[in-house]
Each structure stands twice: as C-alpha cells, then as structure tokens.
C-alpha cells in the first residue's frame, strides 16, 4: 500500500542536530495520520507521499521547516517571588502568553531573584536531520479520519 491521503503511517525516527548530536530517538515506533492533518511536519508528509513500507530517508530540515525560528518574545523574565516554590531549572510551567494562549514555559535559568522562562520549542532555531523508516502503512479507519489522528498501539490513546 502506498502512503497517501487518509493512510496511517507507522515509522521509526531519529533526530540529530546540525552537529550530528542525537536529540531524539523514538524507543517505540510512532504512527500518524497522513494527509494534511497537522499530525507531523509538512516536510515529512511531502517526503513520504507515495512511498511504501521499507522506505527510509534522511531529511535535512532548515529550522523554518522544522520547529520554527526562535522567537525572543517568548522569553520572559519574572521575579522569583511570583513563582511556585520548588521550581528548578529544566522544569516546566503552564502559563499564558501576552495574547492569552496557553503555553508551556521551560525554566531556563534562575539568576538571583529573577527567573528566565522560555516558551520556544526546545528545537526551535535548529537545523535538524531526521532519519525515517516506514514500518507499516494502512488505510485509516473512519474514526481516525473524524478525530484527525491515528489510533492504535503507536497512535493516540483515548
Ligand atoms: Zn481519536
């Protein structure tokens, strides 16, 4: 079966940065619903369209095609006194951006009585190299199309 609209693709992937450092290696295969449902990066869909099980490729992605450029407006400094106790560097906090959107902030640095938060994706601003291997391709179920994501072992759990 070829990968096309409304197929569920199960793949293995590995992400390295421009220096070849491993950023992420999926322990388990992951599945997504193909066909412009925003389940994965558009560049991945583009590369896999029309391919079959066993297809493997390495995609070089510029930051703009991967997780976007860094947005310095997403970096905030707040007084430590406004912080819940026990927050550490590397932790995460949920908050709202200036326009009211819910956002996850990573705690980057605690400097004196100031805390520096960053809501950029950790891979924003990085050129990435993605190794993909297609393990399975199947037609999506009606439920999956309605929900706009893949179900099953490697997909979404309800
Ligand atoms: Zn669902």
């Amino acid at each position: 079966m070829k990968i096309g609209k409304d197929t569920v693709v199960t793949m293995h992937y590995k992400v390295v940065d421009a220096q070849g450092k491993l950023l992420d290696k999926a322990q388990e295969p992951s599945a997504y619903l193909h066909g412009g449902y925003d389940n994965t990066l558009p560049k991945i869909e583009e590369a896999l369209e029309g391919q079959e099980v066993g297809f493997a490729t390495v995609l070089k992605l510029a930051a703009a095609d991967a997780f976007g450029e860094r947005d310095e407006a997403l970096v905030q400094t707040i007084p430590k006194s406004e912080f819940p106790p026990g927050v550490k560097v590397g932790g995460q906090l949920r908050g709202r951006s200036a326009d009211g959107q819910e956002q996850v902030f990573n705690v980057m640095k605690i400097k004196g009585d100031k805390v520096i938060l960053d809501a950029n994706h950790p891979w924003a601003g990085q050129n990435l190299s993605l190794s993909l291997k297609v393990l399975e391709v199947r037609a999506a179920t009606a439920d999956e199309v309605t929900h706009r994501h893949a179900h099953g072992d490697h997909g979404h759990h309800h």
Side-chain angles (χ1 to χ4, degrees):
M1 176 160 208
K2 286 193 195 309
I3 296 171
K5 185 152 175 70
D6 298 342
T7 55
V8 171
V9 181
T10 303
M11 62 185 179
H12 253 311
Y13 69 89
K14 196 173 88 175
V15 186
V16 300
D17 67 12
Q19 286 73 46
K21 187 175 137 233
L22 184 66
L23 296 177
D24 189 26
K25 185 177 178 184
Q27 299 299 318
E28 297 263 311
S30 69
Y32 79 93
L33 176 60
H34 187 94
Y37 295 99
D38 246 350
N39 279 192
T40 191
L41 298 172
K43 288 284 177 189
I44 294 179
E45 293 211 10
E46 208 176 280
L48 296 185
E49 178 77 32
Q51 303 295 345
E52 294 178 80
V53 169
F55 176 75
T57 189
V58 178
L59 290 178
K60 303 254 183 229
L61 298 178
D65 292 327
F67 292 90
E69 301 294 351
R70 282 185 56 77
D71 178 357
E72 294 313 317
L74 296 176
V75 177
Q76 295 187 4
T77 303
I78 67 164
K80 204 173 173 182
S81 57
E82 285 182 14
F83 237 60
V87 168
K88 292 192 203 94
V89 171
Q92 288 188 330
L93 280 186
R94 275 177 198 284
R96 294 202 179 273
S97 64
D99 59 2
Q101 297 270 5
E102 179 156 303
Q103 260 173 343
V104 174
F105 291 91
N106 298 297
V107 181
M108 300 305 288
K109 219 186 252 178
I110 301 178
K111 222 161 102 187
D113 59 354
K114 303 236 183 302
V115 178
I116 299 163
L117 299 176
D118 188 350
N120 283 289
H121 189 282
W123 301 345
Q126 300 208 49
N127 298 333
L128 301 175
S129 171
L130 249 98
S131 310
L132 306 175
K133 184 165 191 213
V134 178
L135 303 177
E136 193 195 330
V137 183
R138 64 170 170 83
T141 64
D143 267 358
E144 287 173 321
V145 173
T146 308
H147 290 193
R148 306 177 66 84
H149 55 225
H151 292 160
D153 288 352
H154 307 300
H156 206 94
H157 295 270
H158 291 277

